[in-house]
Amino acid sequence: MGNVGFIEDEGKSEVLKPECVEAISKASNLQILLGCDYRQLSEAFTHRTIEAHGDVVTTPLNRELAIYARDALAKAVYDRLFTWLVRRLNDSLKPQTARKNAVMGILDIYGFEIFERNGFEQFCINFCNEKLQQLFIELTLKSEQEEYLREGIEWEPVEYFNNKVICDLIEEKHKGIISLLDEECLRPGDATDLTFLEKINEKLTYHQHYISHRKADIKTQKIMGRDEFQLIHYAGNVTYNVKGFLDKNNDLLFRDLREAMTKTKNSITQEIFPVSELNSKKRPETAITQFRDSLNNLMSILMDKEPSYIRCIKPNDFKMAGQFDDKIVTHQVKYLGLMENLRVRRAGFAYRRPYELFLNRYKCLSPVTWPNFRGPAKEGVQAIVSHLGYDKDEYRMGKTKIFIRFPKTLFTTEDAFQAKKHDIAAIIQSHWKGLMQRRRYKKMKESAVIIQKWIRRFLAQRLAEKRRKAAIVIRRFINGFITRNGPETEENRAFMELAKAQYLLRLSRSLPQKLLDNSWPPYPHVCKEYASSVIKYDRHGYKPRETSSPLDQQKSGKTFKIKHNLPLEYVLELVLTTESDNLLLLRIPPDMKKDKLLFDYDVFYINNFYSSITKISIY
């Protein structure tokens, strides 16, 4: 729409580029913009219809008024479309069921705008900031009073700068700048920005917060133009240039344009330009009046809410971290109204904190409350402030909070707390070291248990192995004892050897004392085989000859020849050699040798000599 241009011929304007009007009024199937009639829209841009005393008069517009009409339509479309979009969003966010809801709203305001050249927009923005500052102060004082009353503390009047006088200067009925601006926009005749400036200079020259060029001092006049005026806001002086005030405030939409928009085929533009407007005879409100009404509505909403403030400070103009420009920060602190809020808070009790939080933070400052206080929190706080030596005028004890009047008192308390932190740090360190040592001890204990477990397991395994081996030995011994009279096996071999050795020991202690004694100790069963077997050695070559006892030969039916029969009483001595040759020597009397009965010595190898011997026969 901004591309629509006009030319003027004999005081009558004409559309310079009709194709631009045709583009914005398209209503094809593929694209719908305004969706209105092309010819009707072109006629509305260049002509104006006026009803006066029942007569309808259509007059052409010059180029300047045509441009004004075009801009007015563009602003109206933008404004109404934006409002429609916000309303649609709000309707979509409403809950489906009717219920009471807790709502949180965010109001984003940068603050005052003070540029080298300030116009109508800056005037509106700064007026909004004045209203919000007034609201903030009222709510701050109100919240202070309510909190004091709630805590049972007597309220003391607080002196502060009340910017209501500036708000009245701008919006007071019939006297304020807004009323004078609307009056100048609506009056008949040739009204201009300079006539508006002359009017406010005349009406407001008495006001202490309004400065005109004539009223300003010489220093201000040098930097202030004759088409400017200055307002002393709570944040500082702002100079406004009146150029464009009337045009930006008026924004009247001619009836022809409204009628063209009501016949559009676009559903959205039909909704934002209702037909009912054509029947209304009321003059549209100016931009500043709409702004003021919207702002007052916002103030009414905020007054019913519980505000919380987040003040954002831009540290520098380069978006760099760690850099603070003192001039920029001071400017924002001033124009955000922080100083006024701080003055209000510091005029009363600058610091207030619930007893529980105050006690938890500063309990280390009193031996009564450290390390733990078992009584009510209020009594603990009283013990702390008494120990610190607070004066009576420095603090108040409310129902749930402690109120401290002077920042110095709080700073002293905080300094004491910071100094006490070293002792607290030592306590924390001791507990931490104790904790680490306990963890280390538990870890060592667990390791020791694991080592003990494996050692006990090893010892248990070794003991079990010993028991198993012992059980095997005992079992073999028992089995050997049970099978000692049977054939020789691995189990009874040792038992048999033991029986032999025991027999020999018994035999050594119970041999016959006389040669004629035929008794012989009984031999064990294991020696039975050897008791009946004798090996004869040849007297010449000492070669063994296998033989058997006469008893065995008789049992087997064999015949044998006795060479010599020597009575036992003739045997003088039986001699066992000391060597390992298993020889038995028999010594006989010399006369028997003469009788050729035997040689000097007959050698016998007796495999088993445990049986009873009554005589010796030589075969």
mmCIF file of all heavy atoms in Angstrom, residues 172 221 321 333 457 577:
data_model
loop_
_atom_site.group_PDB
_atom_site.id
_atom_site.type_symbol
_atom_site.label_atom_id
_atom_site.label_comp_id
_atom_site.label_asym_id
_atom_site.label_seq_id
_atom_site.Cartn_x
_atom_site.Cartn_y
_atom_site.Cartn_z
ATOM 1 N N GLU A 172 -4.492 15.612 32.413
ATOM 2 C CA GLU A 172 -5.608 16.250 33.098
ATOM 3 C C GLU A 172 -6.647 16.753 32.080
ATOM 4 O O GLU A 172 -6.301 17.292 31.027
ATOM 5 C CB GLU A 172 -5.113 17.419 33.941
ATOM 6 C CG GLU A 172 -6.172 18.001 34.844
ATOM 7 C CD GLU A 172 -5.648 19.107 35.732
ATOM 8 O OE1 GLU A 172 -4.460 19.492 35.544
ATOM 9 O OE2 GLU A 172 -6.383 19.583 36.602
ATOM 10 N N GLN A 221 18.047 27.693 26.179
ATOM 11 C CA GLN A 221 17.596 28.245 24.908
ATOM 12 C C GLN A 221 18.591 27.994 23.788
ATOM 13 O O GLN A 221 18.209 27.870 22.616
ATOM 14 C CB GLN A 221 17.356 29.758 25.063
ATOM 15 C CG GLN A 221 16.100 30.112 25.843
ATOM 16 C CD GLN A 221 15.906 31.613 25.969
ATOM 17 O OE1 GLN A 221 16.789 32.405 25.612
ATOM 18 N NE2 GLN A 221 14.759 32.013 26.490
ATOM 19 N N ALA A 321 30.693 -9.346 27.445
ATOM 20 C CA ALA A 321 30.648 -9.741 28.854
ATOM 21 C C ALA A 321 31.778 -9.095 29.633
ATOM 22 O O ALA A 321 32.869 -8.866 29.103
ATOM 23 C CB ALA A 321 30.751 -11.255 28.967
ATOM 24 N N VAL A 333 19.815 3.246 35.485
ATOM 25 C CA VAL A 333 19.347 3.256 36.876
ATOM 26 C C VAL A 333 18.458 4.467 37.132
ATOM 27 O O VAL A 333 17.440 4.392 37.823
ATOM 28 C CB VAL A 333 20.562 3.233 37.832
ATOM 29 C CG1 VAL A 333 20.121 3.510 39.263
ATOM 30 C CG2 VAL A 333 21.277 1.895 37.752
ATOM 31 N N ARG A 457 38.900 -69.199 53.768
ATOM 32 C CA ARG A 457 38.547 -70.180 52.738
ATOM 33 C C ARG A 457 39.732 -71.100 52.453
ATOM 34 O O ARG A 457 39.568 -72.330 52.368
ATOM 35 C CB ARG A 457 38.131 -69.452 51.457
ATOM 36 C CG ARG A 457 37.744 -70.361 50.302
ATOM 37 C CD ARG A 457 37.271 -69.534 49.117
ATOM 38 N NE ARG A 457 36.886 -70.383 48.010
ATOM 39 C CZ ARG A 457 37.701 -70.774 47.043
ATOM 40 N NH1 ARG A 457 38.978 -70.382 47.078
ATOM 41 N NH2 ARG A 457 37.277 -71.542 46.064
ATOM 42 N N THR A 577 73.789 -114.767 60.825
ATOM 43 C CA THR A 577 74.867 -113.885 60.410
ATOM 44 C C THR A 577 74.408 -112.433 60.512
ATOM 45 O O THR A 577 73.212 -112.114 60.433
ATOM 46 C CB THR A 577 75.292 -114.187 58.970
ATOM 47 O OG1 THR A 577 74.193 -113.914 58.099
ATOM 48 C CG2 THR A 577 75.736 -115.632 58.832
#
